[in-house]
Amino acid sequence: MNAILALVAFIGVIIVWNVAFQRNIGEAMVLGFLASAAFGGADAPRVAWDSLVAGLKSEITFAALAFVFVSELLTRTGLVQRMIDILSSLLGRRRGGSAYAATVASGLFGAVAHNGAAIVATVGSLAIPWMKRSRASGETAALVLSGNAGVGATFPFSGAFFVLLAAPTVLPVLSSSDVVGTLFVTGAWMVAMRLVVAYAIVRWRGVGTMAARDIRPLRASFGAGWTSLLVLAAVAVPVLLTSGPVSDRATERLGGLDTSDAVPLLVWLPVVMLIAGLLVERGTLPHGGAAWWRLLGLVGPQLGLVGVTMVSAFAASEVLDRLGLGAELTPYLEDLRDVPPLVAALVVGLILVIVAGPLNTTSTLAAVGPVAFAALTASGIPAHVAFAAVIVWASSEGCSPPGAAPLYVAASIADVDPARIFLPVALYYLVPTYVFGVLIATGALWIPG
């Protein structure tokens, strides 16, 4: 029970410190990490240090910080604004068009990049300012983007996909060819679910059309801002190098070296975006050391908060893994054998959603995915269906406060207090994700086998 108690302490400390004492989320995450590490007993200092180092080394931590800096810089130079002008000319007159576009864009980008923090940062750097110009509040904009963060994990070839596929309870039963089509359809279902949620948000939270005087003719906006689209074209380079036929050809040219290792997507996406942005915006960048120092002074507080939050979140995930969270949850999941499929789906889904709160999708699947899959198949659920349902529940990391890293990235871009969207993101996205997982597990939603 030590690891389970550490998980409870981590969540409890964050809620008490952030909500009851009204302190910022960075402080709360640090204290939550220390509280969970304390359950290491005599080894607590070593567990805390090793976990902290792991958090500092995380590519996702770097990506979150880099994307926050890049989006802030490009917004201040006007590049993002010119992109938004083009998009607003196309869809700005449609009520809620910004929310629908953000949802579809997250699905398209997520099908390739998969990472929740990268989805929020890349799409959010464009969509969040646009939604604000559509008279949506910052909280609503952050809500939509954080809720869309997990959609990438539900498509095939994500890290979560391979972690679960290699699990000892899955490998003897399924091969990649058995579930590729399954996951493509599952991902499409999750995008469709988010479009329905976006419709509700548009109606209930007041995402309108942009003001007519704020929408330029398409010819004018495209003529002034077409160079800004070169940044998006540049972002496609590392994506293409790590996926599809281009990746296969590049691997052959590199003598068999996997291009995903040679070109880590989370590292190169923000780097390429920054280089392209600097080239396109070279005439509007700050001039002189003093101007750059002022810019860094404005961006610095955001980077500090996001950095502390991300490092603490991943360090706490590492602590829970080292304490044996997956092993301690195993007996509870194994008790589900031979129970009705609906009951198994309800209980397994709830456990996965709870565990995905402080952990990312991959860590959740590494910890409890194998046993969760075994429990679902033991209850009579087909293997490919169980595979899809487990990934859907684990993908709730972006909408599972208080430990949802993508939520803090979205809140940082929108410049809002993350705690203000804890309840809305759970109601609008976490609950539907849980329900859709149950519907998939019980066969109410069709997916191919």
Side-chain angles (χ1 to χ4, degrees), residues 140-157:
T140 297
L143 165 66
V144 171
L145 268 298
S146 62
N148 286 326
V151 70
T154 62
F155 284 96
F157 309 122

Side-chain angles (χ1 to χ4, degrees), residues 149-230:
V151 70
T154 62
F155 284 96
F157 309 122
S158 65
F161 172 88
F162 290 112
V163 165
L164 186 58
L165 192 63
T169 57
V170 179
L171 192 59
V173 182
L174 292 172
S175 66
S176 60
S177 59
D178 296 325
V179 288
V180 168
T182 301
L183 265 291
F184 270 122
V185 175
T186 300
W189 273 119
M190 298 312 293
V191 172
M193 180 207 82
R194 285 167 166 82
L195 285 171
V196 174
V197 171
Y199 178 84
I201 290 174
V202 168
R203 294 298 181 270
W204 298 340
R205 294 181 68 94
V207 183
T209 59
M210 295 178 64
R213 63 179 182 278
D214 205 28
I215 304 175
R216 301 176 63 188
L218 179 59
R219 179 176 295 181
S221 62
F222 186 80
W226 69 270
T227 56
S228 64
L229 301 178
L230 296 176

Side-chain angles (χ1 to χ4, degrees), residues 79-89 125-130 133 210 228:
L79 182 142
V80 172
Q81 185 63 57
R82 288 191 290 278
M83 286 186 178
I84 293 172
D85 283 339
I86 295 174
L87 294 172
S88 65
S89 297
S125 64
L126 298 173
I128 287 177
W130 188 22
R133 289 178 63 179
M210 295 178 64
S228 64

Side-chain angles (χ1 to χ4, degrees), residues 25-27 29-30 304-314 404-405 408:
I25 196 65
E27 293 179 9
M29 293 293 287
V30 170
L305 182 59
V306 172
V308 169
T309 300
M310 295 291 294
V311 170
S312 299
F314 283 100
Y408 300 107

